């Protein structure tokens, strides 16, 4: 039997008391020592693997020394054996005595949290700046060598079981260099951090991604700029575009029409031929835009059970009367769209919102989109292009609104 009085137990207890779950040295082996040890009270019951969640499952996460100085690494061999409950049959009596003596200290080690060397963050510590209120919070991510050690044991057990059970998935580990030429300077468990699990990147679910984009941003519909080839319609369409552009410009300048303009009524001269080609042009665009709305609705309904349930939000808006930003509450009109999405787009997607108010808003929204691009009508040789001016927006909105009223099947 060994004489316990000759063993420096106080050194073992001091090294154990200063051991940590998270060591600064794992970031940079040349950094000043320091780290954090968790307490049982900091356990977190969540469905993922971390030091805090393993504590919630009553799993002992081994700690490690902050820095290798003097006999620290040698002393910690006994501490590590005690923590991991290793087989001591081949160890000498002194080693066994130390392990048995410090066992009670390990039981109480996790009663209170502990940290050291964190009064000043070393410039070599990696930092993430996270916005918080009007300032930033500096975060330094550190891995726990003890968690890596526990995870490696689990992986080894699965690999061993897979030799007789082909239903188990293969787990691939990679090689990660840490600690430089002498990893022991970082910690006794550092080698456990050199075997990261290799995972392939998750595949994107385009259906869900598109649906969430539609939910939060709405539909950015497109206006077809390639019109169907029609030799008979082409001259009339070009004439109509010129008539509308010139007619609106004339109406705006004519003093006798100012009262009409002030009431939001833009007008231009027309005839049956121009009205017919106008209706063909706008109906063609309207059909394609409404079809995009139906397609967007189908995409949202496919994952409706995964969409957020946001019933109302507080949104800031500019008040032209007071010249100040005011808070305005917005209530969800449909479970398929975030409350902040434009009403014109919400009704384009959800037909339940298509009342007269929506028709007015949507008609203006579509009219603004129509005048923002050029159109091409294919003829026998080269395409012929025309552009509608911004001044035609009120006129086009009124025409679109009329189509929505007259052709109800387009709005359903």
């Amino acid at each position: 039997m060994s004489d316990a009085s000759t063993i420096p137990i106080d050194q073992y207890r001091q090294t154990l008391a200063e051991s940590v779950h998270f060591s600064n040295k794992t970031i940079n082996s040349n950094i000043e020592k320091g780290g954090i040890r968790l307490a049982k009270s900091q356990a977190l019951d969540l469905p993922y693997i971390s030091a805090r969640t393993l504590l919630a499952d009553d799993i002992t996460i081994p700690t490690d020394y902050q820095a290798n100085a003097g006999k620290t690494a040698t002393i910690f061999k006994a501490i590590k054996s005690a923590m991991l409950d290793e087989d001591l049959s081949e160890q000498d009596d002194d080693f066994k005595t130390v392990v048995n003596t410090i066992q009670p200290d390990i039981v109480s080690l996790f009663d209170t949290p502990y940290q050291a060397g964190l009064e000043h963050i070393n410039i070599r510590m990696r930092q993430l700046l996270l916005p918080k209120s009007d300032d930033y919070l500096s975060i330094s991510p550190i891995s726990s060598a003890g968690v890596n050690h526990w995870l490696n044991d689990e992986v080894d057990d699965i690999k061993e079981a897979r030799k007789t059970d082909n239903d188990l998935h293969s787990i691939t580990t990679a090689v990660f260099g840490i600690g430089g030429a002498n990893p022991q300077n970082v910690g006794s468990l550092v080698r456990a951090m050199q075997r990261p699990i290799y995972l392939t990147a998750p595949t994107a679910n385009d259906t869900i991604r598109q649906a969430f984009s539609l939910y939060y941003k709405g539909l950015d519909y497109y206006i077809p700029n390639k019109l169907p080839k029609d030799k008979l319609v082409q001259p009339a369409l070009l004439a109509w575009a010129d008539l509308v552009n010139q007619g609106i410009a004339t109406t705006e300048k004519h003093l006798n029409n100012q009262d009409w303009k002030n009431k939001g009524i833009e007008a231009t001269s027309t005839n049956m031929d121009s009205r017919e080609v106008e209706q063909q042009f706008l109906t063609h665009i309207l059909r394609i835009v409404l079809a995009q709305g139906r397609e967007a609705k189908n995409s949202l309904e496919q994952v409706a059970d995964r969409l957020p349930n946001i019933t109302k939000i507080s949104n800031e808006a500019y008040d032209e009367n007071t010249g100040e930003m005011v808070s305005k509450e917005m209530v969800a009109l449909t479970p398929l769209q975030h409350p902040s999405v434009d009403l014109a787009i919400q009704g384009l997607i959800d037909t339940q919102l298509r009342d007269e108010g929506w028709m007015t808003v949507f008609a203006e929204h579509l009219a603004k989109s129509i005048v923002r691009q050029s159109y091409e009508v294919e003829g026998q040789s080269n395409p012929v292009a025309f552009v509608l001016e911004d001044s035609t927006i009120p006129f086009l909105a009124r025409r679109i609104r009329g189509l929505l009223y007259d052709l109800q099947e387009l709005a359903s």
Side-chain angles (χ1 to χ4, degrees):
M1 295 292 293
S2 172
D3 183 3
S5 62
T6 63
I7 301 174
I9 291 296
D10 289 343
Q11 293 185 26
Y12 285 90
R13 285 176 172 157
Q14 182 65 27
T15 303
L16 174 64
E18 295 177 354
S19 65
V20 293
H21 285 118
F22 301 91
S23 170
N24 293 351
K25 289 285 186 178
T26 59
I27 297 297
N28 190 311
S29 59
N30 294 320
I31 207 171
E32 290 86 350
K33 70 175 184 177
I36 297 171
R37 184 175 67 240
L38 300 176
K40 292 179 180 178
S41 60
Q42 294 173 298
L44 188 63
D45 187 13
L46 288 177
Y48 60 83
I49 296 174
S50 72
R52 294 180 66 189
T53 57
L54 291 176
L55 285 175
D57 292 329
D58 292 327
I59 295 174
T60 299
I61 305 301
T63 55
D64 210 342
Y65 51 78
Q66 299 177 38
N68 182 18
K71 297 181 179 180
T72 300
T74 302
I75 291 174
F76 216 85
K77 288 181 180 179
I79 296 175
K80 178 181 173 183
S81 293
M83 281 191 176
L84 301 178
D85 197 22
E86 294 179 344
D87 181 15
L88 304 179
S89 59
E90 297 184 4
Q91 300 292 344
D92 59 38
D93 290 342
D94 284 355
F95 193 91
K96 294 176 183 178
T97 300
V98 171
V99 170
N100 293 330
T101 304
I102 64 175
Q103 281 287 0
D105 297 275
I106 293 177
V107 174
S108 60
L109 183 66
F110 307 109
D111 289 344
T112 57
Y114 168 81
Q115 68 178 40
L118 301 180
E119 295 79 9
H120 302 283
I121 302 301
N122 190 285
I123 194 173
R124 290 171 172 169
M125 288 284 285
R126 299 185 182 95
Q127 296 181 55
L128 300 177
L129 296 180
L130 304 180
K132 182 181 181 182
S133 300
D134 296 329
D135 211 334
Y136 288 90
L137 186 65
S138 176
I139 301 293
S140 296
I142 304 178
S143 298
S144 169
V147 172
N148 282 265
H149 177 84
W150 174 87
L151 194 59
N152 285 339
D153 283 348
E154 295 296 314
V155 171
D156 290 340
D157 289 344
I158 292 175
K159 287 184 175 181
E160 185 64 29
R162 192 173 182 273
K163 293 179 180 179
T164 56
D165 188 351
N166 293 329
D167 292 334
L168 291 175
H169 292 288
S170 176
I171 297 180
T172 305
T173 56
V175 177
F176 176 64
I178 183 173
N182 189 7
Q184 184 173 273
N185 288 332
V186 175
S188 66
L189 299 172
V190 65
R191 288 176 176 80
M193 302 180 71
Q194 296 177 338
R195 295 176 55 199
I197 295 176
Y198 180 83
L199 300 174
T200 56
T203 56
N205 188 318
D206 291 337
T207 300
I208 296 178
R209 182 175 62 181
Q210 181 187 28
F212 270 79
S213 177
L214 289 170
Y215 176 83
Y216 283 105
K217 299 179 181 179
L219 173 63
D220 186 16
Y221 61 83
Y222 69 91
I223 304 294
N225 66 337
K226 294 288 187 180
L227 303 180
K229 181 177 180 180
D230 192 322
K231 290 185 293 183
L232 297 177
V233 172
Q234 177 184 315
L237 186 58
L238 295 174
W240 168 78
D242 184 65
L243 179 68
V244 171
N245 285 330
Q246 296 301 321
I248 295 297
T250 301
T251 301
E252 286 186 330
K253 295 177 182 178
H254 202 293
L255 294 178
N256 294 333
N257 294 325
Q258 288 304 304
D259 187 52
W260 291 81
K261 179 184 177 184
N262 293 336
K263 294 179 180 179
I265 301 175
E266 302 282 354
T268 183
S269 59
T270 186
N271 54 48
M272 289 188 64
D273 291 339
S274 64
R275 285 299 300 273
E276 181 180 355
V277 72
E278 170 191 284
Q279 181 165 318
Q280 290 184 29
F281 170 69
L282 294 178
T283 300
H284 172 69
I285 292 176
L286 193 55
R287 286 185 185 278
I288 292 178
V289 172
L290 291 174
Q292 293 173 63
R294 289 192 294 271
E295 185 177 347
K297 182 181 180 182
N298 290 336
S299 297
L300 287 163
E301 288 180 336
Q302 287 181 31
V303 294
D305 59 327
R306 301 192 184 187
L307 295 177
N309 182 24
I310 301 176
T311 56
K312 60 182 179 180
I313 62 169
S314 181
N315 191 33
E316 285 195 342
Y318 178 74
D319 189 333
E320 295 183 354
N321 296 324
T322 62
E324 298 178 350
M325 298 296 292
V326 295
S327 180
K328 180 180 179 182
E329 187 177 82
M330 305 182 73
V331 180
L333 303 177
T334 168
L336 299 178
Q337 294 279 261
H338 189 271
S340 63
V341 175
D342 193 301
L343 173 61
I345 302 302
Q346 291 199 48
L348 175 60
I349 292 176
D350 192 338
T351 57
Q352 299 298 318
L353 303 178
R354 293 184 182 179
D355 55 13
E356 291 190 6
W358 170 80
M359 287 187 180
T360 300
V361 173
F362 173 71
E364 183 176 358
H365 194 284
L366 180 58
K368 289 179 179 178
S369 299
I370 288 175
V371 302
R372 300 292 165 83
Q373 65 178 350
S374 63
Y375 300 87
E376 293 185 357
V377 183
E378 294 186 2
Q380 292 181 332
S381 55
N382 296 325
V384 181
F386 67 90
V387 178
L388 293 169
E389 304 294 339
D390 280 2
S391 58
T392 66
I393 291 175
F395 170 77
L396 294 173
R398 194 165 65 253
R399 291 289 196 254
I400 294 169
R401 202 158 56 244
L403 284 175
L404 291 172
Y405 277 116
D406 295 340
L407 304 175
Q408 286 297 321
E409 72 274 9
L410 292 179
S412 61

